[in-house]
């Protein structure tokens, strides 16, 4: 049983494929066949899965795991999400303008005046480009485009995103942007 400290979703298992225990899986890697390059995959309930064979099939992969030898065992895995530890992802292969979605979650979105628009709570791709979900205290979540026009700078070490609220669609007019007011201690009555 392995408990992951910083899990990153790598694949979701679909239905069984054939009679030998293979499963279809949706891989969330740039190269779906590279799913086996990250070592053992883990489920949130602590199970570990070693990939023995993997092949591409249309927009998914077909995987055979060690210990899953028949169709019944494969069917029992349907819908299971598989993760790896964030530290197992290769940072040295990233370009300067590339990021893992997991690294963006939790960053605070601010404009050039220091006004906070919330923190990134999710990264989504519904087919027309990446979107960042921002959630602020007492505010409803909003989606902004993850583009060069909307997100001007990413500082992982400081934990912040510099955004353009106009390009992100958060304000209609730059004069409507909220004004920065630093938190002041409240006086007791």
């Amino acid at each position: 049983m392995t408990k992951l400290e910083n899990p990153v979703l790598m694949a979701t298992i679909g239905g069984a494929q054939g009679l030998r225990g293979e499963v279809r899986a949706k891989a969330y890697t740039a190269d779906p066949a590279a799913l086996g390059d990250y070592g053992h995959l883990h489920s949130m309930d602590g199970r570990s899965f070693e990939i023995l064979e993997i092949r591409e099939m249309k927009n998914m992969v077909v995987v055979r795991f060690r210990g899953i030898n028949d169709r019944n065992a494969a069917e029992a895995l349907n819908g299971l999400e598989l993760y790896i530890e964030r530290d197992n992802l290769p940072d040295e292969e990233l370009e300067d303008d590339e990021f893992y979605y997991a690294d963006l979650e939790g960053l605070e979105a601010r404009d050039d005046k220091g006004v906070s628009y919330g923190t990134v709570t999710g990264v989504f791709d519904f087919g027309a480009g990446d979107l960042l979900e921002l959630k602020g205290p007492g505010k409803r979540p909003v989606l902004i485009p993850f583009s060069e026009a909307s997100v001007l700078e990413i500082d992982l070490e400081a934990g912040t995103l510099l955004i353009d609220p106009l390009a992100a669609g958060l304000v209609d007019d730059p004069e409507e942007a909220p004004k920065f007011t630093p938190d002041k201690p409240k006086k007791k009555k």
Side-chain angles (χ1 to χ4, degrees), residues 109-182:
R110 294 183 168 272
D111 66 12
D112 59 351
K113 296 178 182 87
V115 176
S116 176
Y117 288 86
T119 59
V120 178
T121 55
V123 183
F124 304 101
D125 184 359
F126 299 113
D130 295 333
L131 297 170
L132 300 178
E133 179 184 57
L134 302 180
K135 175 81 170 93
K139 297 178 184 174
R140 298 171 88 186
V142 295
L143 295 174
I144 66 167
F146 185 41
S147 65
E148 289 181 8
S150 298
V151 179
L152 306 174
E153 184 178 308
I154 298 172
D155 189 345
L156 295 175
E157 290 166 9
T160 60
L161 295 174
L162 177 62
I163 64 169
D164 179 345
L166 184 62
L170 296 171
V171 297
D172 293 329
D173 180 5
E175 299 303 317
E176 294 178 17
K179 305 296 184 244
F180 179 66
T181 54

Side-chain angles (χ1 to χ4, degrees), residues 21-25 35 51 53-55 61-65:
E22 292 180 317
V23 295
R24 293 183 303 271
L35 185 62
I51 294 177
E53 294 177 21
I54 188 168
R55 68 181 188 276
V61 290
V62 176
V63 182
R64 189 165 71 87
F65 294 110

Side-chain angles (χ1 to χ4, degrees), residues 1-39:
M1 297 291 232
T2 304
K3 175 76 173 148
L4 299 177
E5 295 294 319
N6 193 3
V8 175
L9 179 63
M10 298 299 285
T12 302
I13 297 177
Q17 175 74 25
L19 302 173
R20 300 181 327 148
E22 292 180 317
V23 295
R24 293 183 303 271
K26 170 71 175 155
Y28 304 113
T29 55
D31 174 15
L35 185 62
D37 296 348
Y38 299 98

